Amino acid sequence: MKGIERTDTNFLNLSFNMKNRKIKFDLITNAQDSLYHAVEHLTNINGPTVGDLKRAILDVAHVVELILKERLKRIHPAFIWQNVDKYPSTEALTISTNVAVKRLFNIGGISLSNSDIKTISACRKLRNRIEHFEFEIELAKAKAIVGRMLSFIFNFSKYNLGLDLETEFKQDDQWSELIDIYEFWEAHSKALENQLLDEGKPICECPLCGAQTFDLTVMKCALCDHSDEEVECDVCHETVWESNTEIVERIPGSRLIVCGKCLYGDDYLDFAVDLLRDRELEEKNE
């Protein structure tokens, strides 16, 4: 199983006391650790197995519970206890995910979409069955739940906790492997598309990943990070993506920008030779 190279002491800020042999996770580092385990299972070199999906469901459910509690904690730490009067006793029970969602809305004014609430609830119920009993779920539904939960985790962390959890995964191949999973690509591309539209950004389809998340203000895809520019093809004069062109040199010092369609077209070679001959004559006359 592949996984990113990381050191707990650097990225997770894991507190490890060598003398007392203690390990300490706060809510965020605890969530981050479970998130990395979930992604490692999903980006298994041979594709996620049924067992990988089961563990990913447990991990993403755990992450969501922790990040919701972290947001409540930032309002007041007592709000993550079932009975706030028992704060800060570590022996007292903390709230469940569904209670956290209600408190965030009632106390913090933070509302989640109906779609997110339904997904979180479905994942919580599935997690409970996995942990405490036998369970059965269609493979497609399991992948859809995990994909939507991951998208929620990245978006909620960014906009409600100020945490960019995507960046670490984008530093290697794991992010591209994640968006190769259709269920995650579908959920996260739609969420990012809506965010860009809400911000008034002009967008179009990304020439690399195919999502409607290419931000024309920065010429970069919000989903896959692909950067590109629009150029004119010297053959057909159409505006095309630079990544879909090739630079062709027939005469030293003369270059053609040719789009992929023209490059393999029947008329390209004759056109290119004629154009370059004309250019060479123009240069001599000058």
Side-chain angles (χ1 to χ4, degrees):
M1 182 178 296
K2 293 185 293 183
I4 64 171
E5 294 183 3
R6 61 184 174 90
T7 58
D8 289 333
T9 52
N10 289 336
F11 180 70
L12 291 179
N13 295 318
L14 183 65
S15 175
F16 182 68
N17 189 310
M18 292 295 291
K19 182 177 180 180
N20 297 321
R21 309 297 293 178
K22 291 181 180 179
I23 297 175
K24 181 181 179 181
F25 283 87
D26 59 24
L27 286 171
I28 292 299
T29 53
N30 197 1
Q32 287 174 318
D33 187 64
S34 291
L35 176 60
Y36 275 95
H37 283 294
V39 173
E40 284 178 345
H41 286 299
L42 292 172
T43 56
N44 188 332
I45 191 171
N46 296 316
T49 64
V50 173
D52 286 325
L53 277 173
K54 186 192 83 168
R55 290 171 179 82
I57 289 168
L58 295 174
D59 284 326
V60 295
H62 186 230
V63 175
V64 169
E65 180 178 339
L66 294 175
I67 61 177
L68 293 177
K69 287 179 177 178
E70 173 63 25
R71 187 61 187 88
L72 269 175
K73 181 183 175 183
R74 295 185 183 187
I75 300 172
H76 194 286
F79 291 148
I80 67 174
W81 265 256
Q82 286 188 15
N83 184 341
V84 295
D85 292 330
K86 292 187 177 181
Y87 166 78
S89 171
T90 56
E91 302 300 321
L93 296 176
T94 59
I95 58 174
S96 62
T97 302
N98 58 334
V99 174
V101 170
K102 292 177 182 177
R103 286 191 182 178
L104 280 172
F105 178 73
N106 294 330
I107 299 172
I110 300 171
S111 60
L112 306 183
S113 68
N114 289 333
S115 176
D116 284 337
I117 293 174
K118 288 180 180 178
T119 300
I120 291 170
S121 177
C123 189
R124 178 177 57 83
K125 292 176 182 177
L126 182 57
R127 188 270 305 270
N128 290 342
R129 293 202 301 271
I130 292 173
E131 288 188 334
H132 304 297
F133 194 54
E134 57 191 31
F135 77 100
E136 181 179 352
I137 186 173
E138 294 179 9
L139 184 61
K141 288 183 178 179
K143 289 182 177 180
I145 287 177
V146 172
R148 291 197 297 266
M149 288 285 277
L150 278 174
S151 179
F152 172 80
I153 289 166
F154 290 123
N155 289 326
F156 186 87
S157 299
K158 181 177 181 180
Y159 290 99
N160 290 282
L161 299 175
L163 298 173
D164 184 0
L165 299 180
E166 297 181 11
T167 299
E168 292 295 324
F169 295 108
K170 288 179 177 178
Q171 292 178 1
D172 62 13
D173 293 335
Q174 279 197 307
W175 187 255
S176 61
E177 290 168 2
L178 261 185
I179 61 177
D180 277 344
I181 300 172
Y182 175 75
E183 291 77 11
F184 174 68
W185 176 92
E186 181 181 39
H188 205 44
S189 64
K190 190 62 181 177
L192 291 175
E193 179 184 348
N194 290 335
Q195 289 166 15
L196 291 168
L197 291 174
D198 288 343
E199 294 170 4
K201 301 285 185 65
I203 60 174
C204 68
E205 180 179 303
C206 175
L208 182 63
C209 71
Q212 288 288 333
T213 51
F214 194 88
D215 184 350
L216 293 170
T217 61
V218 293
M219 301 304 288
K220 186 176 182 179
C221 179
L223 178 62
C224 71
D225 266 3
H226 173 68
S227 295
D228 217 326
E229 296 291 339
E230 291 181 322
V231 296
E232 181 181 315
C233 173
D234 284 329
V235 179
C236 64
H237 301 293
E238 294 289 333
T239 300
V240 294
W241 292 111
E242 186 177 23
S243 61
N244 191 35
T245 65
E246 288 190 24
I247 302 297
V248 178
E249 295 190 23
R250 295 291 185 180
I251 300 173
S254 297
R255 305 172 70 203
L256 280 177
I257 298 175
V258 187
C259 71
K261 181 180 178 181
C262 291
L263 188 63
Y264 300 104
D266 293 335
D267 298 329
Y268 161 66
L269 184 57
D270 291 339
F271 177 90
V273 171
D274 290 342
L275 180 61
L276 289 172
R277 185 182 295 115
D278 291 341
R279 286 186 178 178
E280 186 181 41
L281 289 174
E282 287 177 5
E283 291 173 359
K284 287 181 179 180
N285 292 333
E286 291 176 358

